[in-house]
Amino acid sequence: MAYVPHTESDRRAMLAEIGLERMDDLYDAIPKEVRFPDLDLPDPISEMEITREMLTLSEANLEVQHVPCFLGAGAYNHFIPSIIDHILLRNEFYTAYTPYQPEISQGTLQAIFEYQSLMCNLTGMEVSNASHYDGATALAEAVILALNQHRGKRHKVLLSPTIHPHYRQVVRTYTQGMGLTIVGDESLDTSSAMLAEMIDGETTLVAVQYPDFLGRIEDLSSLGEAANKAGALFCVVVNPLALGLLRPPSEFGADIVVGDGQPLGIPLSYGGPYVGIFTTRQQYVRKMSGRLVGETVDSRGQRGYVLTLTPREQHIRRDKATSNICTNQGLMALATAVYLSIVGKQGLREVAELCYHKAHYAAEKIDALDHYSLWHRGPFFHEFVVSCPKPVAEINNQLLDYDILGGYDLGQEYPALADHMLIAVTEIISKEDINDLVTVLEEVSHD
Amino acid sequence: MEFPTDLKYTNNDEWVRVEGDIATVGITDYAQDQLSDLVFVEVTAEVGEKLERDATVAEVESVKAAAFIYMPVAGTIIETNVELYDEPEIINADPYGAAWMFKFEIANPVELDELLDATAYEKYCQEREH
Amino acid sequence: MTEPLVYEISSPGRHALRMPEVDVPKAPLPEGLIREDLPLPELSEIDVVRHFVRLSQLNHGVDTGFYPLGSCTMKYNPKLNEDTARLPGFAFTHPLQDPETAQGTLALMYSLQEWLSEIGGFAAVSLQPAAGAHGELTGILIIRAYHKDRGDEKRTKILVPDSAHGTNPATTTMSGMEVIEIPSDERGNIDLDSLRGHCDESVAGLMLTNPNTLGLFEEQVREVIELIHGCGGLIYGDGANMNALLGVVRPGDLGFDVLQYNLHKTFSTPHGGGGPGSGPVGVAEHLVDFLPTPLVDVVEEGDEVLPPLYGFVTPKKSIGRVKSFHGHFGVAVKAYTYLRLLGKKGLREVADFSVLNANYLRVRMRDVYHIPYDRVCMHEFVAEGRWEDAPDIHALDIAKRLMDYGFHPPTNYFPLIVREALMIEPTETESLETLDAFVKAMLEIAEQARSDPELLKTAPHKTTFGRMDEVKAARQLVLCCWPVERDES
């Protein structure tokens, strides 16, 4: 029996102790007519067979270790130091539950406390929760924080059109029963200056992305100021890796910073699990959802850590809780904490600069091609938009013939950007990879 | 456990001191004991706000529980006790004195008749012990 | 021994990871956008390794010892799952690459959707939700959308039994609907009279955990479902307790309309110290169109030679997207591996032995610990951690004392309807020997509660850390640490 240790004599002895004759007697409370269905499921196979089957299945996929990956759009192929997975595979970390019993959970608790600290230092904010599911749901939770801060008296949310489309979709899904007006993202032309104009006394939250979905970066101070002046909260969606180089959103007056922690040592894994970063100002700590670890001392006078401010959460506040979040992304948060510890102050800056320089090299080379041009001329981080001579899907198919994973087809989400490709360049991409991409792009433009 | 006889009570564990047309409200000794160590207080209603009976006025938290404080009868908030924000432990130490939470002007004094007296409230607390 | 914080072991100028030189011409950095200081720690590789290894050693996990944490299904997490999820073809695929280049992942997701549908008795399953509570929100939004689509706008209430997990009422509030709490009767079932009183055309649905949080199968589940369906409401099933039902009964056959599965409970994926989980949602036929986007489906049928082509589709009246990309694929791989190994036969064994183990503990403990609803339970049961003749002892003291025996305590203070609750879920992967050792400890503790109550009040004694001052943590609120200032002189 798979993973079940009972011997036949154990089973009999236990049934006798309970006072039952057969295993089926355990289920008398279940309506007879639906008991013990004949399930249409495969037969069991051995570990040896599964190993082979899974290998075959996995090899049916194109994977980014074997091809240069210029696809980003919210999930990035960065280098992951070996040490991370060794730590994540520590049984005491990954086979533990939520640290409800602090005396025997100090490992998880201190690691989360360190995660919170690292995220505060990286984003420049004062408090961080212990994680949300991903960047998109973290943004939805930011909206809910703002609503509660304004006690449900403001109903308008302003979203920049260049926040990741999935994030904006998730905000709309989460809040569909809350009677909100979500505007600002109707047209790609809406700049942050125009967003600032749209803020009024009804506005509860203004959110922008930095670098934005199209890779661009700008000083967001005046938008932050405008939000602040109108009493609206200002939320910045970040790529945490970019903050190794760029000014933290706290300097733009951000009230809430959210983002996806995936670039910090988490494998692409076809979209998840990742980790949702959520940091804010101390004054909003009680309105912030999700778990939170705080420092204290134990009965022996030792420094220790506990889950704190738990009465904010669903298991105590029930229908009065502002969020239902319970399970979060603990192990993924640990991955980012190990990543930031191993790359450290110097390493994160180096990684961010490598991305920056390589992306700019690629952009310049592509811009020099006859049939391609950069769509945007201002500052960007490691992603940029290229206007292409034909449909992006077609180009990407041809790139695949050369074992290159091309960029994101922006026409899927932004009709105005049909035939525009969003290209991401991370530190993993070499100069040769970029030169190859440029050569092939040139070649396919002729067909 | 104390149940001062000069106060009125609600079955949400608030006490009410009536002086003329002004009422002062806090949480009872029984409530603070049930909640254990208080760590947070916030009066969410604003001075000048006109509220119906049962409207939420304040929120308290201990390490293991959260509770809301409601208007015992309709009225207009005239003062809130912000001292409690920094020292929520006052509620554990002196629930009927320094730990008053807010004062309001009573809109309709007839409603006061529906509040419990000390004996009835004490009985109500005892019932919940079993 | 306490472990210093990463910032406390940091040393200026130290670094671990060497990155390659920039191999392209450097571009000028944008003015006014570059940060001045990056306050991250500076450590060597061995510093980092030792730090996190030492931290791990301060944890109790399933792999260190018995973990009978009620409602959490802390079963053994097969090592095989960890390996398959890390296969490069799974771990290094990009979520936005052309689905035609990701047919392996899509085939896996499709099979898992199909298997979960079959196990739960549903028409379709979405793997999108990230955790149980996220699945609840998805399910309740589906119910809301269903009524709205029919023009039935006045259904704004969700009925929730008082024994429910806190996530149920919190989910309802998030969805914009109103919670109506329904009491339990003296047998631990939903009080039918009370339920009947609330059944009218304002009811959108009922959230039902079955087996409920007392570990009991709702004896009148048929009547409950008929009442709700009778007044036009739908049944949401909280599948947190599915472990006991595998191959035994399908919620869909009972009449449940929606249900979330917890892959990190029932399907053996690890909890990771609080996550990541995965909370797929299954729905009956009439709700398929409302599932979140995207779903995996066959977009081109296969034949003898060619396999089918899988792709993503958006259900017609979808509630929208609940998460970026496609859910927790890495977790799905682990659940798939587990189901493939178990097959149909192994699945039924999971239910059988989890229920057998729980009942064995219940019967062995019942003479010493009061069990308020003492009948044949499912995968877990709830005992009271209090005695008339040991008035100072609380469930918490018993929980802390258990740590001295090397056991993780049961869930305490939940469900709220039992005083001093100890909620015990042994799971199927624990042997008779382990259960007997646990019973022995529980019986000894019960004796100590009378003979030496201080021993319990001051427990744990043998752990690295003693009881934490939670009041101090909440009052002083130290929620993060900053780089340690060093004297440069």
Side-chain angles (χ1 to χ4, degrees):
Chain A
M1 288 182 288
Y3 312 125
V4 175
H6 302 65
T7 65
E8 183 52 27
S9 80
D10 292 344
R11 191 180 70 90
R12 259 186 267 125
M14 291 169 79
L15 273 178
E17 179 77 38
I18 300 166
L20 296 176
E21 270 176 41
R22 301 168 314 128
M23 293 293 269
D24 288 2
D25 297 343
L26 293 164
Y27 303 113
D28 277 354
I30 296 172
K32 266 209 178 65
E33 60 282 10
V34 288
R35 223 187 282 170
F36 310 134
D38 185 21
L39 298 182
D40 181 16
L41 288 175
D43 288 325
I45 59 172
S46 68
E47 177 161 341
M48 194 172 84
E49 291 163 295
I50 293 173
T51 307
R52 186 179 312 156
E53 189 179 294
M54 296 300 276
L55 189 66
T56 310
L57 207 50
S58 72
E59 285 174 349
N61 300 320
L62 174 79
E63 50 104 343
V64 299
Q65 285 187 323
H66 283 96
V67 295
C69 171
F70 293 95
L71 183 56
Y76 302 95
N77 185 33
H78 289 287
F79 176 70
I80 301 175
S82 290
I83 167 179
I84 295 177
D85 214 26
H86 287 270
I87 300 299
L88 295 195
L89 277 169
R90 289 292 303 185
N91 307 42
E92 304 92 325
F93 277 133
Y94 83 85
T95 71
Y97 196 71
T98 304
Y100 288 133
Q101 299 289 346
E103 298 84 354
I104 50 174
S105 311
Q106 282 300 302
T108 297
L109 286 161
Q110 185 172 333
I112 297 172
F113 183 80
E114 292 179 356
Y115 163 84
Q116 291 174 182
S117 304
L118 291 161
M119 289 307 154
C120 287
N121 279 293
L122 190 59
T123 59
M125 304 302 281
E126 293 161 339
V127 290
S128 160
N129 77 359
S131 72
H132 276 301
Y133 308 131
D134 64 6
T137 62
L139 177 60
E141 295 277 0
V143 170
I144 296 171
L145 185 156
L147 288 175
N148 284 299
Q149 178 62 23
H150 293 123
R151 301 189 198 289
K153 287 174 186 157
R154 294 181 177 215
H155 301 95
K156 186 167 130 187
V157 176
L158 280 178
L159 298 181
S160 149
T162 54
I163 292 176
H164 195 301
H166 288 182
Y167 290 32
R168 289 181 283 119
Q169 289 161 18
V170 170
V171 168
R172 288 188 162 89
T173 305
Y174 261 59
T175 60
Q176 57 193 270
M178 297 179 189
L180 302 186
T181 310
I182 299 173
V183 289
D185 62 342
E186 297 80 5
S187 159
L188 184 59
D189 302 329
T190 307
S191 65
S192 57
M194 289 157 78
L195 269 184
E197 295 283 303
M198 296 166 76
I199 302 172
D200 57 22
E202 252 297 282
T203 310
T204 183
L205 183 93
V206 185
V208 285
Q209 187 170 320
Y210 167 82
D212 75 0
F213 184 65
L214 307 177
R216 300 174 297 182
I217 43 180
E218 63 172 321
D219 186 330
L220 297 165
S221 309
S222 36
L223 181 57
E225 225 167 88
N228 189 271
K229 224 159 122 194
L233 300 196
F234 181 44
C235 174
V236 181
V237 181
V238 297
N239 173 346
L241 193 129
L243 297 185
L245 180 67
L246 304 180
R247 283 171 67 191
S250 53
E251 294 181 14
F252 305 139
D255 295 294
I256 304 169
V257 178
V258 299
D260 202 305
Q262 183 275 331
L264 306 178
I266 298 176
L268 286 168
S269 193
Y270 207 56
Y274 299 162
V275 54
I277 297 167
F278 193 107
T279 62
T280 183
R281 296 174 188 275
Q282 182 84 35
Q283 69 192 96
Y284 304 124
V285 66
R286 283 171 195 278
K287 300 279 187 326
M288 178 173 72
S289 60
R291 295 189 188 119
L292 193 56
V293 171
E295 190 177 293
T296 187
V297 292
D298 76 352
S299 55
R300 304 163 202 172
Q302 306 178 97
R303 179 174 67 185
Y305 300 89
V306 290
L307 291 176
T308 194
L309 298 190
T310 53
R312 297 169 299 122
E313 295 179 62
Q314 48 76 25
H315 65 280
I316 292 178
R317 200 163 283 218
R318 299 178 74 85
D319 61 315
K320 302 281 193 319
T322 58
S323 170
N324 69 348
I325 189 167
C326 180
T327 290
N328 58 18
Q329 302 293 112
L331 200 68
M332 302 292 105
L334 173 67
T336 65
V338 179
Y339 180 84
L340 290 175
S341 302
I342 194 77
V343 300
K345 185 189 183 83
Q346 188 177 332
L348 193 69
R349 169 89 186 212
E350 282 173 10
V351 173
E353 281 201 32
L354 279 168
C355 294
Y356 181 88
H357 293 305
K358 287 173 191 246
H360 282 74
Y361 173 74
E364 197 185 309
K365 286 273 186 184
I366 295 169
D367 195 34
L369 295 174
D370 279 348
H371 303 284
Y372 299 84
S373 62
L374 287 187
W375 172 76
H376 164 70
R377 298 281 156 195
F380 64 95
F381 175 56
H382 74 339
E383 229 168 350
F384 55 90
V385 178
V386 172
S387 152
C388 303
K390 58 184 188 179
V392 174
E394 233 173 88
I395 297 176
N396 276 338
N397 269 333
Q398 290 173 305
L399 286 173
L400 271 182
D401 291 339
Y402 293 87
D403 282 338
I404 296 171
L405 186 54
Y408 179 74
D409 181 357
L410 284 165
Q412 298 172 74
E413 297 286 354
Y414 298 96
L417 291 177
D419 299 345
H420 284 68
M421 186 191 278
L422 179 65
I423 293 180
V425 186
T426 65
E427 78 283 9
I428 279 191
I429 297 291
S430 69
K431 187 178 178 184
E432 288 68 44
D433 295 334
I434 296 169
N435 291 342
D436 290 348
L437 171 73
V438 173
T439 309
V440 179
L441 282 178
E442 163 74 26
E443 211 170 296
V444 303
S445 67
H446 301 306
D447 327 326
Chain B
M1 201 76 63
E2 287 181 43
F3 301 92
T5 51
D6 58 330
L7 303 179
K8 291 186 177 297
Y9 300 87
T10 69
N11 50 17
N12 188 50
D13 303 306
E14 291 112 1
W15 56 261
V16 188
R17 176 175 288 122
V18 181
E19 289 158 312
D21 55 356
I22 304 298
T24 306
V25 181
I27 67 168
T28 65
D29 197 14
Y30 176 85
Q32 70 77 23
D33 183 64
Q34 290 289 311
L35 289 163
S36 79
D37 299 292
L38 272 301
V39 297
F40 174 70
V41 187
E42 188 185 12
V43 182
T44 47
E46 284 157 30
V47 171
E49 212 170 335
K50 212 167 145 184
L51 295 169
E52 290 303 307
R53 174 185 185 161
D54 294 335
T56 309
V57 185
E59 230 179 294
V60 295
E61 278 179 19
S62 68
V63 287
K64 62 171 193 190
F68 292 88
I69 320 301
Y70 305 102
M71 283 297 271
V73 295
T76 307
I77 306 287
I78 55 170
E79 198 180 343
T80 64
N81 185 358
V82 290
E83 307 255 313
L84 294 177
Y85 288 23
D86 291 330
E87 286 180 87
E89 53 269 37
I90 296 175
I91 299 171
N92 296 113
D94 188 12
Y96 296 114
W100 65 273
M101 286 182 187
F102 61 95
K103 296 185 183 186
F104 67 94
E105 206 178 291
I106 302 161
N108 187 1
V110 185
E111 288 183 349
L112 292 171
D113 296 344
E114 290 169 45
L115 299 176
L116 306 173
D117 65 18
T119 320
Y121 177 68
E122 185 172 356
K123 192 163 160 257
Y124 172 64
C125 292
Q126 279 163 357
E127 278 164 13
R128 285 180 290 172
E129 280 298 282
H130 298 288
Chain C
M1 257 296 282
T2 55
E3 172 66 17
L5 292 158
V6 273
Y7 279 106
E8 292 166 346
I9 51 175
S10 166
S11 202
R14 187 168 285 161
H15 63 118
L17 195 74
R18 206 175 61 197
M19 294 309 295
E21 293 296 312
V22 182
D23 61 352
V24 295
K26 285 192 181 179
L29 296 177
E31 262 173 60
L33 288 169
I34 302 303
R35 78 188 290 163
E36 279 170 26
D37 184 34
L38 183 58
L40 292 179
E42 298 171 85
L43 306 160
S44 71
E45 181 151 336
I46 195 163
D47 291 337
V48 181
V49 171
R50 285 193 179 142
H51 174 69
F52 286 103
V53 167
R54 284 193 196 120
L55 284 185
S56 75
Q57 289 167 337
L58 301 175
N59 264 7
H60 180 102
V62 173
D63 286 1
T64 19
F66 189 37
Y67 215 126
L69 192 63
S71 107
C72 302
T73 316
M74 296 299 284
K75 61 171 74 178
Y76 172 66
N77 307 126
K79 304 306 134 191
L80 174 64
N81 298 352
E82 297 304 308
D83 290 348
T84 54
R86 285 171 170 83
L87 287 168
F90 292 140
F92 297 98
T93 46
H94 193 289
L96 298 174
Q97 73 191 50
D98 186 338
E100 289 195 29
T101 68
Q103 286 296 300
T105 62
L106 290 169
L108 185 151
M109 291 170 79
Y110 183 78
S111 296
L112 189 57
Q113 286 177 186
E114 294 287 296
W115 295 346
L116 291 175
S117 297
E118 176 67 12
I119 290 166
F122 291 109
V125 161
S126 161
L127 301 178
Q128 280 263 336
H134 203 214
E136 286 180 33
L137 179 62
T138 304
I140 292 297
L141 289 176
I142 288 173
I143 289 178
R144 182 178 173 275
Y146 168 81
H147 292 307
K148 238 180 129 169
D149 181 61
R150 291 159 47 98
D152 205 350
E153 304 268 355
K154 57 191 174 303
R155 296 192 179 270
T156 54
K157 290 179 188 159
I158 296 283
L159 313 181
V160 181
D162 59 2
S163 60
H165 296 117
T167 48
N168 290 186
T171 297
T172 300
T173 302
M174 262 180 114
S175 75
M177 291 194 277
E178 187 192 346
V179 179
I180 306 292
E181 193 174 89
I182 307 294
S184 304
D185 68 15
E186 70 285 349
R187 279 183 65 79
N189 295 310
I190 290 182
D191 187 291
L192 278 185
D193 287 335
S194 167
L195 185 67
R196 210 168 281 123
H198 284 102
C199 284
D200 58 31
E201 54 196 22
S202 68
V203 171
L206 166 79
M207 293 185 89
L208 186 58
T209 309
N210 193 24
N212 65 22
T213 59
L214 295 163
L216 301 173
F217 194 89
E218 197 65 48
E219 289 171 309
Q220 299 142 320
V221 64
R222 284 259 138 124
E223 289 87 334
V224 169
I225 292 175
E226 267 167 37
L227 271 176
I228 297 297
H229 282 166
C231 75
L234 299 183
I235 303 286
Y236 179 89
D238 181 335
N241 295 345
M242 266 299 281
N243 212 44
L245 304 186
L246 298 175
V248 172
V249 61
R250 310 196 306 170
D253 293 347
L254 285 168
F256 283 76
D257 300 284
V258 200
L259 175 128
Q260 110 277 348
Y261 305 78
N262 293 36
L263 299 189
H264 52 292
K265 294 182 178 176
T266 316
F267 299 96
S268 85
T269 76
H271 288 71
S278 177
V281 164
V283 293
E285 195 63 52
H286 49 285
L287 297 179
V288 173
D289 285 347
F290 300 94
L291 280 170
T293 183
L295 278 180
V296 180
D297 206 350
V298 174
V299 292
E300 244 176 73
E301 293 295 339
D303 54 33
E304 286 94 55
V305 193
L306 285 171
L309 184 71
Y310 298 99
F312 290 111
V313 296
T314 296
K316 275 200 287 278
K317 300 168 181 172
S318 175
I319 56 160
R321 179 181 276 286
V322 294
K323 205 186 167 306
S324 54
F325 310 119
H326 328 298
H328 285 168
F329 174 74
V331 180
V333 178
K334 298 178 191 186
Y336 176 99
T337 308
Y338 179 70
L339 277 171
R340 195 76 186 87
L341 186 102
L342 256 50
K344 178 170 136 182
K345 182 166 169 285
L347 213 56
R348 170 69 193 275
E349 282 167 4
V350 168
D352 280 356
F353 287 91
S354 67
V355 174
L356 182 73
N357 278 359
N359 278 290
Y360 179 76
L361 284 184
R362 178 180 61 85
V363 170
R364 291 286 319 273
M365 283 174 54
R366 78 210 278 182
D367 291 340
V368 178
Y369 288 82
H370 179 236
I371 294 167
Y373 303 93
D374 190 15
R375 57 182 162 99
V376 174
C377 64
M378 299 300 281
H379 63 299
E380 68 189 356
F381 66 101
V382 180
E384 283 184 359
R386 65 186 192 111
W387 300 277
E388 298 281 326
D389 58 343
D392 292 338
I393 298 298
H394 297 280
L396 186 75
D397 304 314
I398 299 165
K400 300 300 182 194
R401 181 64 182 144
L402 265 171
M403 296 175 188
D404 287 335
Y405 290 85
F407 297 121
H408 193 283
T411 297
N412 45 73
Y413 301 109
F414 186 80
L416 306 175
I417 57 172
V418 174
R419 294 182 71 180
E420 302 290 335
L422 288 168
M423 186 192 209
I424 303 172
E425 180 181 12
T427 83
E428 72 282 1
T429 59
E430 298 298 334
S431 68
L432 178 56
E433 288 83 348
T434 302
L435 302 184
D436 283 339
F438 178 72
V439 170
K440 187 163 174 279
M442 288 300 280
L443 301 186
E444 273 179 36
I445 292 170
E447 270 178 42
Q448 293 160 2
R450 278 80 168 199
S451 62
D452 188 2
E454 255 331 272
L455 191 62
L456 272 67
K457 302 296 299 178
T458 53
H461 305 279
K462 294 180 183 168
T463 52
T464 310
F465 288 85
R467 288 197 199 186
M468 293 290 160
D469 186 345
E470 295 185 23
V471 176
K472 180 182 164 74
R475 282 189 180 150
Q476 72 180 7
L477 279 193
V478 176
L479 303 175
C480 73
C481 59
W482 310 101
V484 179
E485 297 291 335
R486 278 171 208 277
D487 192 353
E488 293 294 328
S489 57

